[in-house]
Amino acid sequence: MTDALSYFSAKLALETDASDVYAAQKDGERFILVDVRGDEAWAQGRIRGAVHMPYREIAERAPREIDAATPVVVYCWSPGCNAGAKGALEFAKLGYAVKEMIGGYEYWVREGQPTENDEGELPRVFDPQVMVVRAKVES
């Protein structure tokens, strides 16, 4: 039981998910959301409010651009991409409090959270495979 308690406590201390990040944004919690994907991925679409810092650039750029006292949440494409873990590792090496957003951009989009690209806001789509989708009630 102690092993499970330690494991899941540590896991939750270092991971978050799209729903929790969106709620934290709406609540005005203080953190920086960092998209660690490449330039083409960023241009295609990203989470509104995120900053772009590909994981290979974190060691050089983060100390200049992000206050070390600010908590960081990183994300990449999806559960099938480990760039988020690579980015989190780079921030951890620099001493930042960092979490990885599991599910990445894919689950953010599938849950219908706000996204944008260089042209502006992207359509919000709610995927019933990953969340409860309620019919809009007319008043």
Side-chain angles (χ1 to χ4, degrees), residues 29-34 51 62 65-73 91 94-99:
E29 289 184 29
R30 186 177 159 270
F31 68 97
I32 300 286
L33 183 60
V34 179
V51 298
E65 298 177 28
I66 299 175
D67 181 353
T70 304
V72 174
V73 174
F91 276 106
L94 296 170
Y96 287 83
V98 61
K99 289 186 176 189

Side-chain angles (χ1 to χ4, degrees), residues 18-137:
S19 295
D20 289 343
V21 170
Y22 185 56
Q25 282 182 328
K26 289 187 349 185
D27 289 344
E29 289 184 29
R30 186 177 159 270
F31 68 97
I32 300 286
L33 183 60
V34 179
D35 184 321
V36 300
R37 301 173 302 150
D39 294 339
E40 289 180 310
W42 171 261
Q44 182 175 303
R46 66 243 179 198
I47 296 173
R48 189 171 59 198
V51 298
H52 185 226
M53 190 175 295
Y55 74 89
R56 288 182 175 96
E57 299 174 8
I58 291 169
E60 179 188 334
R61 290 180 49 197
R64 291 192 324 258
E65 298 177 28
I66 299 175
D67 181 353
T70 304
V72 174
V73 174
V74 299
Y75 72 90
C76 67
W77 274 110
S78 69
C81 172
N82 69 359
K86 291 174 182 177
L89 176 61
E90 291 302 315
F91 276 106
K93 287 178 185 177
L94 296 170
Y96 287 83
V98 61
K99 289 186 176 189
E100 179 184 14
M101 186 179 82
I102 60 171
Y105 183 71
E106 175 189 353
Y107 275 74
W108 183 274
V109 170
R110 292 177 77 182
E111 291 181 14
Q113 314 305 13
T115 57
E116 63 187 12
N117 63 19
D118 293 342
E119 284 75 47
E121 251 184 68
L122 295 170
R124 293 176 77 174
V125 178
F126 300 89
D127 184 344
Q129 296 298 313
V130 299
M131 63 181 299
V132 174
V133 178
R134 295 178 181 89
K136 190 172 184 178
V137 178

Side-chain angles (χ1 to χ4, degrees), residues 1-14:
M1 188 65 109
T2 303
D3 288 342
L5 177 62
S6 297
Y7 172 80
F8 288 111
S9 294
K11 181 177 173 134
L12 290 172
L14 301 173

